[in-house]
Amino acid sequence: MDSSRAAAGRSVAGPGAPPSGLLDLLSVAAVVLNAQGQVVFWSPKAEELFGYTAAEALGQSAAGLTVHEEHRDEVVKFFAEVMESGTDWAGAFPIRHKDGSTRLVEFRNMRLLDDLGDVYALGLAADQATVERVERDAALAMRLVSQSPVGLAILDTELRYLAVNPALERITGQSAADRLGRPVGEVLTFLDTGPEARLRRVLETGESVVDRDIVCRPPGDPDHDHAWSVSYYRLEDSGGRVLGLAYSVIDVTERYRAAAEAAQARQRLALIASASASVGTTLDLETTARELADLVVPALADVAAVDVLDSALDGRSAPREGPARFRALAVSAAYATEAVRAADPPGGLATYDSDRLITQCVRTRQPVLLPHTTRQDLERIARHGPAAALLAASGVHSYLAVPLMARGEVLGALDLTRTRNPAPFDDDDVLLARELAARAAVCIDNARGYQAQRHAALTLQRSLLPRLTRDLPGLEVACRYQPAGATSEIGGDWYDAIPLRGDKTALVVGDVMGSGISAAATMGQLRSAARAFAELDLAPAEALYHLDHLAEGVELAITTCIYCVCDPHQGQCRICLAGHLPPALLRVGHAARLLDLPTGAPLGVGGVPFEAATLPFRPGDVLVLYTDGLVETRSEPIDARLDALLDALTATRGHGLEDTCDRILEILRPPGGEDDVALLIARAQA
């Protein structure tokens, strides 16, 4: 061992080493008597114990100095017998102090023989009170160590175990026999970070480490986390010599687990609260499913999949037995993993036999919990042939599926797996997953109902929209209809181009206020009526008058409308508005502009006359009719949006009308617009 290191860590035994202090602590007095019982050696401690100086004691009879007169003859006789027999003697005896007081002193006598053959007696003596104190302190210290609930270990200066108390054996699950004589580096291998360097630093510097928290899995319980509060401190004798090092271990596992459970409970509550805010933000089925999958990853699972029964999407009740047909809506993973490939891609349809766990989940309407999965379990989790191998390769070790239940109906299942997260799913996870699934299922059911209603309204509305005749004399027409986005219902917008006698064409665009199936139905009535009035070759103002009268008898039928009649032979267009936005006109050689026309009142108000205007409409001129969903938004003023429409129309000069429609919608129509849009563009031809 390097001498400098030894000097830094501890005092090296040798001729110059300081005493340990043990004899000073015991206050042992040494006295040597010759065969006649006379004092020939008198130590300083003997002077403290008996009161006589060495000068006063040397050469004197020990019995005469220290024994009361009534016991003196008996003591002298006993001393002679001991000297003659050569036996050692030990015991407690009352002695007389120089000050005349009597003290009980414990003696230990040994017979000595020098090289000349002379016989002597060595006596070691200590005050009985001191002996009792030392014995009591030693016994107390031993019992304190052995009975303490705190684990204690004592190491030498080489960090080898010298002593281990029962509490430490119990806490770590390692016996004293497995530790004694071994260095800490060989014993504490179950700690993530070896403590040897930290212990060496404490030994060298003397700076203690107090209440350091450690979480580990000790040999006595390798499957669960344990928490310890440890302290390291250096051991020194009264002279400052380094004896070694001790450390204490307090098992705070219960407190750690209680704190972990409290933190987990707070996390679960936060997750449930987050579900209320982040799941179901739209009435879109796929978006809602994706929000649920993203919410539970990675807080609850490493990989999550949301699947709904195909029968639920069609409004049919799920059969109670047999295979189940699912539509995958969402898959989410905490990190890139092969387990994602084992799930069905969103949008895909698949049928699973009754032995598959996801089928079992929806059939029984109960969670399926597998805390620890086997290879056979992975086969029942797998969605397709290679999926089991992918799940095994990705490290799936725990599985949980909970049904998506809403209003007493099973809609599908939330499928959860853990790969990197080492903890298996437990009953608390089941409760949390069921709560999240129940909240999400209501949102999914709402989205399902909304989509069904929206699909019905959209189907109705598209069926009511006309199929325009492309062969219109002196007129080229293009049109578009776009329904509202996912957050709104279908509206009552429509367009129409109606051939009339004399090569004329009636152009109509209308917007029924309100939304849903009722608005679409009202729109169908008004569009059919407008066609009928057009067939009568009524003037625009007269046609709107009859439409207004008709709308008065229809509930919630307030409608804006623009009615135009284009006459290619006269090169003009007669236009009448019923509360509608003015059309835009792009003439040859000019920028697009809005027509300044009498606004009129919406249809259904009743009693308000309509006024038509006539304007030239020559070959090359472009007329744009539209509903307010194209230009009205909550974030921009209407004037700015109308200017944007005119700029877009001017920029498309010379383009085909189909391309012009697409460009205008691309520029002006916001993604997921809140209102539907009807757009009709007509260009006069020779």
Side-chain angles (χ1 to χ4, degrees), residues 76-98:
V76 171
K77 180 181 178 181
F78 178 73
F79 177 75
E81 293 174 355
V82 170
M83 293 296 289
E84 183 177 353
S85 64
T87 59
D88 295 339
W89 176 83
F93 190 80
I95 60 95
R96 184 183 65 186
H97 193 269
K98 180 181 179 181

Side-chain angles (χ1 to χ4, degrees), residues 215-218 221-227 253 256-257:
V215 177
C216 62
R217 294 194 170 189
D221 188 11
D223 296 329
H224 301 91
D225 287 336
H226 286 247
T253 301
Y256 166 79
R257 289 176 179 170

